[in-house]
Amino acid sequence: MNGVHEYAVRVEWTGNRGTGTNHYKAYGRDHLISPAGRASADKATIQGSSDPTFHGDNDRWNPEELLLAALSQCHLLSYLHVAARNGVTVTAYADAPIGTMEQLSAGGGHFTAVTLRPRVTITDPEQIEFAQSLHAEAARECFIAASVNFPIGHEPVTTA
């Protein structure tokens, strides 16, 4: 499965309150994220905004939350793959990731760290330690984690 894969989405700003961006507080940060290109038209549209700190709508997903979700999803899918490949049967998986972003005085900012905290249930109690160790392999195989320039910690808990 080597090769180049391309992905596309459509992002449309819906926050023009009638005066465009004539003032920092005059425009809404609302936008829609929808499928584009070869993506399925049946995918749900994601309602996005900025973090409320930056005058966004708390009821919509912000880019920072979506980044955390992407890292968590990628680790989940990589872990399930690694577990299946290694004979570990996973019956439940939930994560509550947290991330830290530093805002710079000159403007902009960046994430400084993310911690994934997966809670995994497996069928065989004899495999708990081995199942825990598979998170390192899953982390190495996660495409999204390999694409960021900040540390991603893992605090997994595995039960049977």
Side-chain angles (χ1 to χ4, degrees), residues 98-130:
I98 56 172
T100 303
M101 185 185 77
E102 178 183 357
Q103 189 175 355
L104 304 175
S105 60
H110 58 268
F111 269 78
T112 57
V114 165
T115 302
L116 304 179
R117 302 179 297 178
R119 302 303 180 249
V120 180
T121 305
I122 62 173
T123 57
D124 184 355
E126 298 293 318
Q127 290 185 311
I128 288 177
E129 188 174 325
F130 179 58

Side-chain angles (χ1 to χ4, degrees), residues 10-74:
R10 175 175 162 75
V11 178
E12 179 183 0
W13 176 52
T14 58
N16 184 350
R17 296 178 179 153
T19 59
T21 59
N22 71 338
H23 186 270
Y24 181 69
K25 293 184 180 181
Y27 63 94
R29 275 60 175 175
D30 295 357
H31 56 274
L32 301 173
I33 305 165
S34 56
R38 298 184 325 238
S40 169
D42 292 334
K43 286 183 179 178
T45 295
I46 297 171
Q47 294 185 343
S49 188
S50 63
D51 183 286
T53 302
F54 308 111
H55 307 285
D57 183 343
N58 195 42
D59 293 332
R60 291 171 170 250
W61 291 95
N62 66 56
E64 295 81 10
E65 292 168 328
L66 293 173
L67 176 61
L68 285 178
L71 287 164
S72 180
Q73 276 182 280
C74 189

Side-chain angles (χ1 to χ4, degrees), residues 134-152:
L134 295 178
H135 285 281
E137 187 175 343
R140 286 190 300 274
E141 293 189 12
C142 174
F143 304 136
I144 306 300
S147 301
V148 299
N149 66 353
F150 50 83
I152 301 170

